[in-house]
Amino acid sequence: MSSYAPQAIEELIRLGRLKEAATLLKRVDARDVPRMEKVKFANLCRRTGLIALALKALRPRIFDPKSGAKLADATGEERAEYAMLLMRLGAVREAARDLTEITDYKPAPLYRAFARITTWDYRLARTDLRAYLAQELDVYQRRIGEMNLAAAAYYAGDLEEAHFAVRSVLRTAEGRLRANALEMHARILHETGDVPQAEKALTEAETLLAGSSSYDQLFLVGLRSYFTAMRTGETGAIASFREEARARGRFESVREADAFELRVRPDPELFANLYFGTPYVAFRRLVAQQTGLQPADRVHVWGTGEKILDLDPLVGLPSALEGKLGLLLRVLASDRYRPFAAGTLFQELYPNEYFDFQTSPARVKQLVYRVRVELARDFPELQIVNRASLFTLEISPGVRLRTALEADISTANGDFLFQLRHHFGDTEFGARDLESKLGLSSAQLRRRLTEALASGELERFGAGPATRYALSLTARVVPTRFKSAA
């Protein structure tokens, strides 16, 4: 334990020297960390990418090692930190649900915002960030909150709030945090037409992160490519950024590269690939707003060939691929950019169970094996590839894959939300309305409402018998809003 110096490691992280911090943490035996210090140890590990080490230290404080039941004496801080680890494993829905229940830990609203941001839902993230900033915070934590609020406001289209928040960060921030703020400031300035000042802010950020190969530095590469493309009308710089992001395994940056290119060159084919290849409703709406483009239909076909496998939930799959096998295929087909972590697949396949980093991945792999066996019989052109515990559905020539948007399978309660969109659209409704329309028991209804509220897809108004609900903007995907194919 003599090598464990949490304050020194914290300082290294704030300076952006993550590799040095990780090296120090790896020397520590998690079993030797005292109980009261385990959550801080897990926090430092998470922030330096040592997820397995963090889980080893913290999970025994959340779940009973023998029964697997949740421990009642886990603190809000421990539960919140564990939720952050779940997010890193891809189990965002479970993390968001847990964070919604935490009321005795200041950073909980900030962590909830991180869950929203993971799915590009910046509008709901703003609400959580404002709640976080309404508390008494130290200077550094306040700047973290303001930095994320600036990003959330920017992507939600509120440049005034974004500018106010980022300028507050820039007054005192140094090092990595200042570079992040300058990158966001450059985006805001460029969006408002102040290109010279945007270039100046971006150049300063590049200077601060010169020589770094972090994700923050890649953001700067992407933004520089966008500025260059907007100035010249050529997209070569964006193509280079896309390839670098792909080579570094930064899949969300690949997605953003396509969004950048669409703002420079609105191409319907690229738009369709991005729109139908992205499971995040909020991101799809953002791209449509920025480009002025809309999908021509509710379905999209990937690949070429005579054979076709239809994944539209309204059509139905072959009997051999029904149930969880078909669900797994639909999930894998919903994102054509980012491979799926076991945690993400597990929460879609087993929504009412807790993710266990030791046993749950094996269950996912077993189901993947079963789907592979079925595909090999009739659709060998479809391959589920596992690289570094990340799963991707690859399509070879000879088969077409038909997908549809209505089910929104990447979100909690896909079928439940589809029914809400069908019956209520953007109007408010109460529990009695739901019971009469959906025919669910009270217990089923409570469970589905809880999950949809936790994921941010449902909003609640009032209290008691007067409680009303409405689909959030991110969940109001109504088929009639799509243009008919010409």
Side-chain angles (χ1 to χ4, degrees):
M1 286 298 298
S2 59
S3 62
Y4 179 47
Q7 291 183 342
I9 295 171
E10 175 71 33
E11 185 63 25
L12 288 172
I13 293 173
R14 294 189 181 192
L15 292 173
R17 294 159 62 182
L18 302 184
K19 288 185 178 180
E20 294 175 56
T23 298
L24 293 177
L25 286 165
K26 288 176 183 177
R27 296 172 182 168
V28 180
D29 188 332
R31 294 170 298 183
D32 294 335
V33 178
R35 172 188 165 177
M36 298 308 295
E37 295 182 32
K38 283 188 184 295
V39 67
K40 176 62 176 177
F41 178 75
N43 175 275
L44 295 172
C45 289
R46 170 178 58 80
R47 291 158 65 197
T48 53
L50 303 177
I51 307 304
L53 187 57
L55 287 165
K56 184 177 180 181
L58 193 56
R59 184 175 172 82
R61 288 294 314 129
I62 307 298
F63 293 97
D64 183 274
K66 294 182 178 179
S67 68
K70 277 198 168 183
L71 297 172
D73 65 342
T75 67
E77 182 179 9
E78 289 169 335
R79 292 162 60 204
E81 185 57 42
Y82 188 76
M84 290 294 288
L85 292 170
L86 287 176
M87 273 191 264
R88 293 293 293 271
L89 294 171
V92 178
R93 185 195 307 169
E94 182 180 339
R97 184 169 60 240
D98 290 349
L99 288 165
T100 301
E101 300 171 355
I102 298 172
T103 59
D104 60 344
Y105 183 54
K106 278 186 178 182
L110 176 66
Y111 291 0
R112 284 198 300 271
F114 291 158
R116 314 296 191 203
I117 290 169
T118 298
T119 56
W120 290 83
D121 196 343
Y122 287 95
R123 188 185 69 86
L124 286 172
R126 291 170 74 188
T127 301
D128 291 319
L129 290 164
R130 288 168 181 161
Y132 174 69
L133 289 168
Q135 306 173 99
E136 231 179 272
L137 304 166
D138 66 40
V139 174
Y140 181 76
Q141 292 302 325
R142 180 164 295 279
R143 296 297 173 258
I144 292 292
E146 290 171 336
M147 181 64 247
N148 282 278
L149 179 60
Y154 170 80
Y155 284 110
D158 189 341
L159 297 183
E160 184 177 353
E161 182 177 38
H163 206 180
F164 180 83
V166 82
R167 282 183 296 182
S168 179
V169 178
L170 287 170
R171 279 197 289 269
T172 58
E174 298 178 353
R176 178 188 178 195
L177 183 57
R178 180 171 181 80
N180 292 340
L182 285 164
E183 182 252 344
M184 182 50 60
H185 197 208
R187 288 177 182 262
I188 297 166
L189 291 168
H190 198 277
E191 202 74 18
T192 57
D194 193 347
V195 176
Q197 289 301 313
E199 291 278 359
K200 181 179 179 182
L202 180 55
T203 299
E204 184 182 345
E206 289 170 330
T207 301
L208 285 172
L209 293 183
S212 169
S213 59
S214 65
Y215 206 177
D216 297 330
Q217 178 268 339
L218 186 61
F219 288 154
L220 301 183
V221 173
L223 191 57
R224 174 61 71 190
S225 76
Y226 173 63
F227 283 9
T228 301
M230 289 295 288
R231 185 180 68 252
T232 65
E234 301 293 332
T235 58
I238 294 177
S240 296
F241 163 56
R242 182 187 292 111
E243 289 308 309
E244 181 176 351
R246 186 174 286 118
R248 290 167 62 172
R250 298 300 187 178
F251 308 107
E252 290 305 320
S253 290
V254 177
R255 197 191 312 273
E256 189 170 35
D258 283 1
F260 281 154
E261 183 166 336
L262 281 169
R263 297 195 71 180
V264 179
R265 181 179 60 87
D267 176 76
E269 184 177 351
L270 178 61
F271 173 79
N273 286 333
L274 179 61
Y275 197 90
F276 285 92
T278 295
Y280 311 127
V281 178
F283 182 86
R284 295 203 299 260
R285 180 175 290 106
L286 176 66
V287 171
Q289 290 172 345
Q290 290 179 339
T291 63
L293 298 172
Q294 289 289 337
D297 201 351
R298 54 173 286 273
V299 299
H300 186 71
V301 177
W302 304 93
T304 58
E306 293 294 325
K307 290 189 294 185
I308 185 166
L309 178 60
D310 200 329
L311 296 182
D312 185 347
L314 302 182
V315 174
L317 286 161
S319 58
L321 290 171
E322 289 179 347
K324 291 195 183 299
L325 301 188
L327 176 58
L328 175 59
L329 272 177
R330 289 191 176 104
V331 174
L332 289 170
S334 70
D335 198 331
R336 306 304 298 160
Y337 289 83
R338 188 186 189 100
F340 288 85
T344 307
L345 294 176
F346 184 86
Q347 69 179 7
E348 299 295 341
L349 297 166
Y350 308 99
N352 299 318
E353 299 185 35
Y354 297 125
F355 180 80
D356 184 329
F357 77 102
Q358 293 178 317
T359 62
S360 297
R363 294 176 63 187
V364 170
K365 289 179 181 178
Q366 289 173 358
L367 202 60
V368 166
Y369 172 76
R370 291 173 56 195
V371 175
R372 282 173 172 161
V373 170
E374 296 300 332
L375 289 177
R377 294 173 183 171
D378 298 313
F379 300 96
E381 301 87 353
L382 295 175
Q383 299 283 331
I384 301 178
V385 178
N386 180 1
R387 297 188 183 95
S389 297
L390 296 174
F391 298 88
T392 305
L393 181 63
E394 295 187 353
I395 308 172
S396 299
V399 69
R400 289 176 292 157
L401 197 64
R402 185 178 184 271
T403 60
L405 289 175
E406 274 94 339
D408 288 327
I409 53 166
S410 65
T411 58
N413 291 332
D415 293 337
F416 177 60
L417 293 172
F418 177 70
Q419 292 298 321
L420 295 187
R421 288 193 290 271
H422 174 71
H423 290 295
F424 305 108
D426 58 3
T427 62
E428 292 184 12
F429 48 87
R432 289 186 179 179
D433 300 320
L434 292 173
E435 291 174 356
S436 64
K437 293 287 186 181
L438 306 184
L440 296 173
S441 68
S442 297
Q444 289 174 320
L445 189 59
R446 281 196 301 272
R447 184 171 65 251
R448 285 175 170 80
L449 287 173
T450 297
E451 290 190 5
L453 288 166
S455 67
E457 292 149 325
L458 201 64
E459 296 178 349
R460 179 169 51 199
F461 312 94
T467 300
R468 305 288 290 174
Y469 302 91
L471 286 163
S472 68
L473 289 176
T474 62
R476 295 177 192 172
V477 181
V478 184
T480 54
R481 292 187 181 178
F482 292 98
K483 300 176 182 177
S484 298

